[in-house]
Amino acid sequence: MLKEFYESLIAGGAWLNILMGLEVTLRISACSLLIGTLLAAPLCACRRAKGRGLSGAAKAVIAFLRGTPVLMLLMVFYYVVFNSVRIDASIIAIAAFSLNVAANVAEIMRSALDSVNVGQRDAAWALGMSRAQVFRYVTLPQAARFALPVYQSAAVNLVQWTSVVGYVSIVDLTRAINFISARTLQPFLMLFVGIILYLLLAYLIYFIFGRLGKIRLGMSHRYYRRNKV
Amino acid sequence: MKKSLCAFIALVLILCGASASAEERSFDGKVLATIEMEASADEIEYFFQNQLGIPIADFVCFPTVTECLMALKMGKVDTLLNMDASAKYIAEQDDSLYVYMDPRLADYTDISLSMVTLKTNSELGARLDEAISALREDGTLDKLVGSLFSEKAYEVAAETDAAAETIYVGVTGEMPPVDYVDASGAPVGFNVNLMNAVGNKLGAKIEFIQMNKAAFTTALASGKIDVAFWQEQSVSEEMLKQLGPLSDLIYITEPYLTLSISAIELK
């Protein structure tokens, strides 16, 4: 067992290879989550817009991106849309995953914002708050509390979905592990190593979101001081 | 009582030993597995049962050798069919495995390795053919084939300068020892050495692109890679005669290597 462990992970610096794969997985996931979330905000705003056309268009875009398997989207991006340019494949992967994340997170945002009781908004207006203030101090804190757990599981899912990037010539954590198990023919050992590493990534996300959850967005003392309520 | 018990145990042991040594391994009643190819698992199963008359229990295909090996070790399948160079590599890594061949498959064990390009790029295909025959003549190919079955490695380094035209070659990295990835993450193996030698002959720079086997057709059709590797197995060839011709969009070069299929089982 120890010998197999050594041959698969230590000999010839194979662990370095796994670390590089881990870095690729982490980079693609983090960038896609960030860009996707930034794209999701305007998409969600369009989706909730009063205008039929804008809302309908956003609805169609979201339905298309959520209904498309991300692997197919990725392959279309790599082999069709960006076929003639030889740029780093991970940039293309980030583009494809960002769009998928954007659609999913837009829906998370919409359901979170819709979950806040309309009566609260009316009450805040009655208190003389501006639209921006109502959003910042009443709607957003409650919606964020509702959205955070769902957003967190979307992030964990994203990390796992990125394991398909092997289809577009990227060597991520899954590929690095598959290469080693094909070379040393110790597939079971490498499966467990892979599970442990993906679990670690998931726990990293839980940790970060645990910290994020502690940030107070509500009617803090800052609001009272600034607005002299 | 003790004596008769001892005698009985001895008799049982002898009988077991005799039957084990007398038993010839065959495919009868076994679940066979191999790496995915053009023909589907059901078609291969039909071929075994009806054309060859070997009563196999089932035939399964897996994407890579890793999955095949896991299935074999966990008892999901009984026999693994793979090319002999790979079988040798696998048996070297793991001494609980046994390599043999059922004589009834003997006419269909050939497996030839070649390269494939798009028909629209057949000029490249012709150049590859020329390079392969040149390598065969100057003995490089023989040295490479020799290194597949011996301990000493024969490696060919790329000698072309960076400014030369680039040929993009797709590799899976999941087919040792023909095509795999070393501990540092670089593609190695027979195919890589061969392509380097071909690149040196053609004066072209070879760039290896590692991707999942399932993406190869798309990559080739879209032009992301110019060359992929191709296997023709006499088993599936026989079946493809009935299934119809291959796509006329691809150009297959002359085979650079002919191996035969071996069966791998647990000891």
Side-chain angles (χ1 to χ4, degrees), chain A residues 7 11-14 17 20 75 78-80 82-86 92 164 166-171 175 178-179 181-188 191, chain B residues 65-66 69-70 73-74 89-90 93-94 168 171-176 180-185 209-212 214-215 218-219 222-226:
Chain A
E7 274 175 2
N17 224 339
M20 272 154 70
M75 285 181 75
Y78 186 76
Y79 294 113
V80 183
F82 295 104
N83 183 33
S84 47
V85 279
R86 294 228 179 243
I92 297 169
V164 299
Y167 280 84
V168 295
S169 80
I170 302 172
V171 180
R175 281 294 269 175
N178 284 350
F179 283 153
S181 55
R183 175 170 55 87
T184 63
L185 297 168
Q186 297 292 342
F188 298 112
L191 265 184
Chain B
V65 68
T66 327
L69 202 65
M70 284 199 277
K73 285 199 168 174
M74 296 313 281
Y89 183 92
I90 294 168
Q93 309 277 328
D94 194 330
Y168 294 92
V171 285
T172 62
E174 289 175 355
M175 208 167 67
Y180 64 111
V181 171
D182 70 4
S184 71
I209 299 188
Q210 302 172 326
M211 59 179 64
N212 276 6
T218 322
S222 73
K224 277 277 176 186
I225 59 174
D226 303 314

Coordinates of all heavy atoms in Angstrom, one line a residue, chain A residues 7 11-14 17 20 75 78-80 82-86 92 164 166-171 175 178-179 181-188 191, chain B residues 65-66 69-70 73-74 89-90 93-94 168 171-176 180-185 209-212 214-215 218-219 222-226:
Chain A
E7 N 4.6 5.3 -5.4 CA 4.7 5.3 -6.9 C 3.8 6.2 -7.6 O 4.1 6.8 -8.6 CB 4.5 3.8 -7.4 CG 5.8 3.0 -7.3 CD 5.6 1.6 -7.7 OE1 4.4 1.2 -8.0 OE2 6.5 0.8 -7.7
A11 N 6.8 9.6 -6.5 CA 7.9 9.3 -7.4 C 7.8 10.3 -8.6 O 6.7 10.5 -9.2 CB 7.8 7.9 -7.9
G12 N 8.9 10.9 -9.0 CA 9.0 11.7 -10.1 C 8.2 13.0 -10.0 O 8.0 13.7 -11.0
G13 N 7.8 13.4 -8.8 CA 7.1 14.7 -8.6 C 5.7 14.7 -9.1 O 5.2 15.7 -9.5
A14 N 5.0 13.5 -9.0 CA 3.6 13.4 -9.5 C 2.7 14.3 -8.7 O 1.7 14.9 -9.2 CB 3.1 12.0 -9.5
N17 N 2.2 17.6 -10.1 CA 1.2 17.6 -11.2 C -0.2 17.7 -10.7 O -1.0 18.4 -11.3 CB 1.4 16.2 -11.9 CG 1.4 16.4 -13.3 OD1 0.9 17.4 -13.9 ND2 2.0 15.4 -14.0
M20 N -0.9 21.2 -9.7 CA -1.1 22.1 -10.8 C -2.6 21.9 -11.3 O -3.2 22.8 -11.7 CB -0.1 21.7 -11.9 CG 1.2 22.6 -11.8 SD 2.6 21.7 -12.5 CE 2.2 21.9 -14.3
M75 N -18.0 22.7 -25.4 CA -17.4 22.2 -26.7 C -17.8 23.1 -27.9 O -17.0 23.3 -28.7 CB -17.9 20.8 -26.9 CG -17.1 19.8 -26.0 SD -17.6 18.1 -26.1 CE -16.8 17.6 -27.6
Y78 N -15.4 26.0 -27.6 CA -14.0 25.7 -28.0 C -13.8 25.3 -29.4 O -12.9 25.8 -30.1 CB -13.5 24.6 -27.0 CG -12.0 24.2 -27.2 CD1 -11.1 25.1 -26.6 CD2 -11.6 23.1 -27.9 CE1 -9.7 24.8 -26.8 CE2 -10.3 22.8 -28.0 CZ -9.3 23.6 -27.4 OH -8.0 23.3 -27.6
Y79 N -14.7 24.5 -29.9 CA -14.5 23.9 -31.3 C -15.2 24.7 -32.4 O -14.9 24.5 -33.5 CB -15.0 22.5 -31.3 CG -14.1 21.6 -30.4 CD1 -14.6 20.9 -29.3 CD2 -12.8 21.3 -30.8 CE1 -13.9 20.1 -28.5 CE2 -12.0 20.5 -30.0 CZ -12.5 19.9 -28.9 OH -11.8 19.1 -28.1
V80 N -16.2 25.5 -32.0 CA -16.9 26.3 -33.0 C -16.7 27.8 -32.9 O -16.1 28.4 -33.8 CB -18.4 26.0 -33.0 CG1 -19.1 26.7 -34.1 CG2 -18.7 24.5 -33.0
F82 N -14.7 29.7 -30.8 CA -13.3 30.2 -30.8 C -12.4 29.2 -31.5 O -11.3 29.0 -31.0 CB -12.9 30.4 -29.3 CG -13.6 31.4 -28.6 CD1 -14.6 31.1 -27.7 CD2 -13.4 32.8 -28.8 CE1 -15.3 32.1 -27.0 CE2 -14.1 33.7 -28.1 CZ -15.1 33.4 -27.2
N83 N -12.8 28.7 -32.6 CA -12.1 27.6 -33.2 C -10.8 28.1 -33.8 O -9.7 27.5 -33.7 CB -12.9 26.9 -34.3 CG -12.2 25.8 -34.9 OD1 -11.4 25.1 -34.3 ND2 -12.4 25.6 -36.2
S84 N -10.8 29.2 -34.5 CA -9.7 29.7 -35.2 C -8.6 30.3 -34.4 O -7.5 30.5 -34.8 CB -10.1 30.6 -36.4 OG -11.0 31.6 -35.8
V85 N -9.0 30.7 -33.2 CA -8.0 31.4 -32.3 C -7.3 30.4 -31.4 O -8.0 29.6 -30.7 CB -8.6 32.6 -31.5 CG1 -8.6 33.8 -32.4 CG2 -9.9 32.2 -30.9
R86 N -6.0 30.4 -31.3 CA -5.3 29.5 -30.4 C -5.0 30.2 -29.1 O -3.8 30.5 -28.9 CB -4.1 28.9 -31.1 CG -4.4 28.1 -32.3 CD -3.6 26.8 -32.2 NE -4.0 26.0 -33.4 CZ -4.6 24.8 -33.3 NH1 -4.8 24.2 -32.2 NH2 -4.9 24.1 -34.4
I92 N -11.4 30.0 -22.5 CA -12.7 29.6 -23.1 C -13.6 28.9 -22.1 O -14.8 29.1 -22.1 CB -12.4 28.8 -24.3 CG1 -11.6 29.6 -25.3 CG2 -13.6 28.2 -24.9 CD1 -11.0 28.8 -26.5
V164 N -15.2 18.4 -16.5 CA -15.4 18.0 -17.9 C -14.4 18.8 -18.8 O -14.5 18.6 -20.0 CB -16.9 18.2 -18.4 CG1 -17.8 17.4 -17.6 CG2 -17.3 19.7 -18.4
G166 N -11.5 18.4 -19.5 CA -10.7 17.5 -20.2 C -11.1 17.4 -21.7 O -10.2 17.0 -22.5
Y167 N -12.3 17.7 -22.0 CA -12.8 17.6 -23.4 C -12.2 18.7 -24.2 O -12.3 18.6 -25.4 CB -14.3 17.7 -23.4 CG -15.0 16.4 -23.1 CD1 -15.2 16.0 -21.8 CD2 -15.4 15.5 -24.1 CE1 -15.9 14.8 -21.5 CE2 -16.0 14.3 -23.8 CZ -16.3 14.0 -22.5 OH -16.9 12.8 -22.2
V168 N -11.7 19.7 -23.6 CA -11.2 20.8 -24.4 C -9.7 21.0 -24.1 O -9.2 22.2 -24.0 CB -12.0 22.1 -24.2 CG1 -13.4 22.0 -24.8 CG2 -12.0 22.6 -22.8
S169 N -9.0 19.9 -23.9 CA -7.5 19.9 -23.8 C -7.0 20.6 -22.5 O -5.8 21.0 -22.5 CB -6.9 20.5 -25.0 OG -6.9 21.9 -25.0
I170 N -7.8 20.8 -21.5 CA -7.3 21.3 -20.3 C -7.0 20.2 -19.3 O -7.8 19.3 -19.2 CB -8.3 22.3 -19.6 CG1 -8.7 23.4 -20.6 CG2 -7.8 22.9 -18.3 CD1 -9.8 24.3 -20.1
V171 N -5.8 20.3 -18.6 CA -5.5 19.3 -17.6 C -5.9 19.8 -16.3 O -5.1 20.6 -15.7 CB -4.0 18.9 -17.7 CG1 -3.7 17.8 -16.7 CG2 -3.7 18.4 -19.1
R175 N -8.3 15.3 -14.7 CA -7.4 14.8 -15.7 C -6.1 14.3 -15.2 O -5.5 13.3 -15.5 CB -7.2 15.8 -16.8 CG -8.3 16.0 -17.8 CD -8.5 14.7 -18.6 NE -7.7 14.8 -19.9 CZ -7.6 13.8 -20.7 NH1 -8.2 12.7 -20.5 NH2 -6.9 13.9 -21.8
N178 N -6.5 11.1 -13.6 CA -6.7 10.0 -14.5 C -5.4 9.7 -15.2 O -5.1 8.5 -15.5 CB -7.7 10.5 -15.6 CG -9.1 10.4 -15.1 OD1 -9.4 9.9 -14.1 ND2 -10.0 11.0 -15.9
F179 N -4.6 10.7 -15.5 CA -3.3 10.4 -16.1 C -2.4 9.5 -15.2 O -1.8 8.5 -15.7 CB -2.5 11.7 -16.4 CG -3.0 12.4 -17.6 CD1 -2.8 13.8 -17.6 CD2 -3.6 11.8 -18.6 CE1 -3.3 14.5 -18.7 CE2 -4.1 12.5 -19.7 CZ -3.9 13.9 -19.8
S181 N -3.5 7.5 -12.8 CA -4.0 6.1 -12.7 C -3.8 5.3 -13.9 O -3.7 4.1 -13.9 CB -5.5 6.1 -12.2 OG -6.3 6.9 -13.0
A182 N -3.8 6.0 -15.1 CA -3.5 5.2 -16.3 C -2.0 4.8 -16.4 O -1.7 3.7 -16.9 CB -3.8 6.1 -17.6
R183 N -1.1 5.6 -15.8 CA 0.3 5.3 -15.9 C 0.7 4.2 -14.9 O 1.3 3.2 -15.2 CB 1.1 6.6 -15.7 CG 2.6 6.3 -15.6 CD 3.4 7.6 -15.6 NE 2.9 8.5 -14.5 CZ 3.4 8.5 -13.3 NH1 4.4 7.6 -13.0 NH2 3.0 9.3 -12.4
T184 N 0.2 4.4 -13.6 CA 0.6 3.5 -12.6 C -0.4 2.3 -12.4 O -0.1 1.4 -11.7 CB 0.8 4.2 -11.2 OG1 -0.5 4.7 -10.8 CG2 1.7 5.4 -11.3
L185 N -1.5 2.5 -13.1 CA -2.6 1.5 -13.0 C -3.0 1.2 -11.5 O -3.1 0.0 -11.1 CB -2.2 0.2 -13.7 CG -2.0 0.5 -15.2 CD1 -1.3 -0.7 -15.9 CD2 -3.3 0.8 -15.9
Q186 N -3.1 2.2 -10.8 CA -3.6 2.1 -9.4 C -4.9 2.9 -9.3 O -5.0 3.9 -8.6 CB -2.6 2.7 -8.4 CG -1.3 1.9 -8.3 CD -1.4 0.6 -7.8 OE1 -2.4 0.3 -7.1 NE2 -0.5 -0.3 -8.0
P187 N -6.0 2.5 -10.1 CA -7.1 3.4 -10.2 C -7.9 3.7 -8.8 O -8.3 4.8 -8.6 CB -8.0 2.7 -11.2 CG -7.5 1.3 -11.3 CD -6.1 1.4 -10.9
F188 N -7.9 2.6 -8.0 CA -8.7 2.8 -6.7 C -8.0 3.8 -5.8 O -8.7 4.7 -5.3 CB -8.8 1.5 -6.0 CG -9.6 0.5 -6.8 CD1 -8.9 -0.6 -7.3 CD2 -10.9 0.7 -7.1 CE1 -9.6 -1.6 -8.1 CE2 -11.6 -0.3 -7.9 CZ -11.0 -1.4 -8.3
L191 N -8.7 7.2 -7.2 CA -10.1 7.6 -7.0 C -10.3 8.3 -5.6 O -10.9 9.3 -5.5 CB -11.0 6.4 -7.1 CG -11.6 6.1 -8.4 CD1 -12.6 4.9 -8.3 CD2 -12.4 7.3 -8.9
Chain B
V65 N -8.6 2.4 -20.2 CA -8.0 1.1 -19.6 C -8.2 1.2 -18.1 O -8.4 0.1 -17.5 CB -6.5 1.0 -20.0 CG1 -5.7 2.0 -19.4 CG2 -6.0 -0.4 -19.7
T66 N -8.2 2.4 -17.5 CA -8.4 2.5 -16.1 C -9.7 1.9 -15.6 O -9.8 1.1 -14.7 CB -8.3 3.9 -15.6 OG1 -7.5 4.6 -16.5 CG2 -7.9 4.0 -14.2
L69 N -9.7 -1.9 -15.9 CA -9.0 -2.6 -14.9 C -9.7 -2.6 -13.6 O -9.7 -3.6 -12.9 CB -7.6 -1.9 -14.7 CG -6.6 -2.7 -14.1 CD1 -6.2 -3.9 -15.0 CD2 -5.3 -1.9 -13.8
M70 N -10.4 -1.5 -13.3 CA -11.2 -1.4 -12.0 C -12.3 -2.5 -12.1 O -12.6 -3.2 -11.1 CB -11.8 -0.1 -11.9 CG -10.9 1.0 -11.4 SD -11.6 2.4 -10.7 CE -12.0 3.3 -12.1
K73 N -10.8 -5.9 -11.6 CA -10.4 -6.2 -10.2 C -11.6 -6.4 -9.3 O -11.5 -7.1 -8.3 CB -9.5 -5.1 -9.7 CG -8.1 -5.2 -10.3 CD -7.1 -4.4 -9.5 CE -5.7 -4.6 -9.9 NZ -4.8 -3.7 -9.2
M74 N -12.7 -5.7 -9.6 CA -13.8 -5.8 -8.7 C -14.7 -7.0 -9.1 O -15.8 -7.2 -8.5 CB -14.6 -4.5 -8.7 CG -13.9 -3.4 -8.1 SD -13.1 -3.7 -6.5 CE -14.4 -3.6 -5.4
Y89 N 2.3 -4.2 -20.3 CA 2.5 -3.1 -19.3 C 1.7 -3.3 -18.1 O 2.2 -3.1 -17.0 CB 2.2 -1.8 -20.1 CG 2.4 -0.6 -19.3 CD1 3.6 0.1 -19.4 CD2 1.4 0.0 -18.4 CE1 3.9 1.3 -18.6 CE2 1.7 1.1 -17.7 CZ 2.9 1.8 -17.8 OH 3.1 2.9 -17.1
I90 N 0.4 -3.7 -18.3 CA -0.5 -3.8 -17.2 C 0.0 -5.0 -16.3 O 0.1 -4.8 -15.0 CB -1.9 -4.1 -17.7 CG1 -2.5 -2.9 -18.4 CG2 -2.8 -4.5 -16.5 CD1 -3.8 -3.2 -19.1
Q93 N 2.9 -4.1 -14.0 CA 2.5 -3.2 -12.8 C 1.9 -4.0 -11.7 O 1.9 -3.6 -10.6 CB 1.6 -2.1 -13.3 CG 2.1 -1.3 -14.5 CD 3.0 -0.2 -14.1 OE1 3.0 0.3 -13.0 NE2 4.0 0.1 -15.0
D94 N 1.2 -5.1 -12.1 CA 0.4 -5.8 -11.2 C 0.6 -7.3 -11.4 O 0.2 -7.9 -12.4 CB -1.1 -5.4 -11.5 CG -2.0 -5.8 -10.4 OD1 -1.7 -6.8 -9.7 OD2 -3.0 -5.1 -10.2
Y168 N -0.5 20.0 -35.1 CA -1.2 19.7 -33.8 C -1.6 18.2 -33.8 O -2.4 17.8 -34.7 CB -2.3 20.6 -33.6 CG -1.9 22.1 -33.4 CD1 -1.9 22.9 -34.6 CD2 -1.5 22.6 -32.2 CE1 -1.4 24.2 -34.4 CE2 -1.1 23.9 -32.1 CZ -1.1 24.7 -33.2 OH -0.7 26.0 -33.1
V171 N -3.5 13.7 -28.3 CA -3.1 12.5 -27.5 C -4.1 12.3 -26.3 O -4.6 13.3 -25.8 CB -1.7 12.5 -27.0 CG1 -0.7 12.3 -28.1 CG2 -1.3 13.9 -26.3
T172 N -4.4 11.1 -26.0 CA -5.3 10.9 -24.8 C -4.6 10.8 -23.5 O -5.1 11.2 -22.5 CB -6.1 9.6 -25.0 OG1 -5.2 8.5 -25.0 CG2 -6.9 9.6 -26.3
G173 N -3.4 10.3 -23.5 CA -2.6 10.1 -22.3 C -3.2 9.0 -21.4 O -2.9 8.9 -20.2
E174 N -4.1 8.2 -22.0 CA -4.7 7.1 -21.1 C -4.6 5.7 -21.8 O -5.5 4.9 -21.7 CB -6.2 7.5 -20.9 CG -6.3 8.7 -19.9 CD -7.7 9.1 -19.8 OE1 -8.6 8.6 -20.4 OE2 -7.9 10.0 -18.9
M175 N -3.5 5.5 -22.5 CA -3.3 4.3 -23.2 C -1.8 3.8 -23.1 O -1.1 3.7 -24.1 CB -3.7 4.4 -24.7 CG -4.2 3.2 -25.3 SD -5.0 3.5 -26.9 CE -3.6 4.0 -27.9
P176 N -1.4 3.5 -21.9 CA 0.0 3.1 -21.7 C 0.2 1.8 -22.4 O -0.7 0.9 -22.3 CB 0.2 3.1 -20.2 CG -1.1 2.8 -19.6 CD -2.1 3.5 -20.6
Y180 N 0.8 7.8 -23.1 CA 0.5 8.2 -21.7 C 1.2 9.4 -21.2 O 1.9 10.1 -22.0 CB 0.7 7.0 -20.7 CG 2.2 6.5 -20.6 CD1 2.9 6.7 -19.4 CD2 2.8 5.9 -21.7 CE1 4.2 6.2 -19.3 CE2 4.1 5.4 -21.5 CZ 4.8 5.6 -20.3 OH 6.1 5.1 -20.2
V181 N 1.1 9.7 -19.9 CA 1.6 11.0 -19.4 C 2.6 10.7 -18.3 O 2.2 9.9 -17.4 CB 0.5 11.9 -19.0 CG1 1.0 13.1 -18.2 CG2 -0.3 12.4 -20.1
D182 N 3.8 11.2 -18.3 CA 4.7 10.8 -17.2 C 4.5 11.6 -16.0 O 3.5 12.5 -15.9 CB 6.2 11.0 -17.7 CG 6.6 12.5 -17.9 OD1 5.8 13.3 -17.6 OD2 7.7 12.7 -18.4
A183 N 5.3 11.4 -14.9 CA 5.0 12.0 -13.6 C 5.1 13.5 -13.7 O 4.5 14.2 -12.9 CB 6.0 11.4 -12.6
S184 N 5.8 14.1 -14.7 CA 5.9 15.5 -14.7 C 4.8 16.2 -15.5 O 4.7 17.4 -15.6 CB 7.3 15.9 -15.3 OG 7.3 15.6 -16.7
G185 N 3.9 15.3 -16.1 CA 2.8 15.9 -16.8 C 3.0 16.0 -18.3 O 2.1 16.5 -19.0
I209 N -1.6 17.9 -28.1 CA -2.8 18.5 -27.3 C -3.4 17.3 -26.6 O -3.9 16.3 -27.3 CB -3.7 19.2 -28.3 CG1 -3.0 20.3 -29.0 CG2 -5.0 19.6 -27.6 CD1 -3.8 21.2 -29.8
Q210 N -3.5 17.4 -25.3 CA -4.1 16.3 -24.5 C -5.5 16.5 -24.4 O -6.0 17.6 -23.9 CB -3.4 16.3 -23.1 CG -1.9 16.2 -23.1 CD -1.3 16.4 -21.8 OE1 -1.8 17.1 -21.0 NE2 -0.2 15.7 -21.5
M211 N -6.3 15.6 -24.8 CA -7.8 15.7 -24.5 C -8.5 14.3 -24.4 O -7.9 13.3 -24.7 CB -8.4 16.5 -25.6 CG -8.3 15.9 -27.0 SD -9.1 16.9 -28.2 CE -8.2 18.4 -28.1
N212 N -9.7 14.4 -23.8 CA -10.5 13.2 -23.7 C -10.7 12.5 -25.0 O -10.9 13.2 -26.0 CB -11.8 13.5 -23.1 CG -11.8 13.7 -21.6 OD1 -10.8 13.6 -21.0 ND2 -13.0 13.9 -21.0
A214 N -13.2 11.1 -26.1 CA -14.5 11.3 -26.6 C -14.5 12.6 -27.5 O -15.4 12.8 -28.3 CB -15.5 11.4 -25.5
A215 N -13.6 13.5 -27.3 CA -13.6 14.8 -28.0 C -12.8 14.7 -29.3 O -12.7 15.7 -30.0 CB -13.1 15.9 -27.1
T218 N -14.6 15.6 -32.7 CA -14.9 17.0 -32.8 C -13.7 17.8 -33.0 O -13.7 18.7 -33.9 CB -15.6 17.4 -31.5 OG1 -16.4 16.4 -31.0 CG2 -16.4 18.7 -31.7
A219 N -12.6 17.5 -32.3 CA -11.3 18.2 -32.4 C -10.8 18.1 -33.8 O -10.3 19.1 -34.4 CB -10.3 17.7 -31.4
S222 N -13.0 20.1 -36.3 CA -13.0 21.5 -36.2 C -11.6 22.1 -36.5 O -11.4 23.3 -36.6 CB -13.3 21.9 -34.8 OG -12.3 21.6 -33.9
G223 N -10.6 21.2 -36.7 CA -9.3 21.7 -37.0 C -8.4 22.1 -35.9 O -7.3 22.6 -36.0
K224 N -8.9 21.8 -34.6 CA -8.1 22.1 -33.4 C -6.9 21.2 -33.4 O -5.8 21.5 -33.0 CB -8.9 21.9 -32.2 CG -9.7 23.1 -31.8 CD -9.0 24.1 -31.1 CE -9.9 25.3 -30.8 NZ -9.2 26.5 -30.2
I225 N -7.0 19.9 -33.9 CA -5.9 19.1 -34.1 C -5.9 18.6 -35.6 O -6.9 18.6 -36.2 CB -5.9 17.8 -33.2 CG1 -7.2 17.0 -33.4 CG2 -5.8 18.2 -31.7 CD1 -7.2 15.7 -32.6
D226 N -4.6 18.4 -36.1 CA -4.5 18.0 -37.5 C -4.4 16.5 -37.6 O -4.8 15.9 -38.6 CB -3.2 18.6 -38.1 CG -3.2 20.1 -37.9 OD1 -4.2 20.7 -38.3 OD2 -2.2 20.7 -37.5

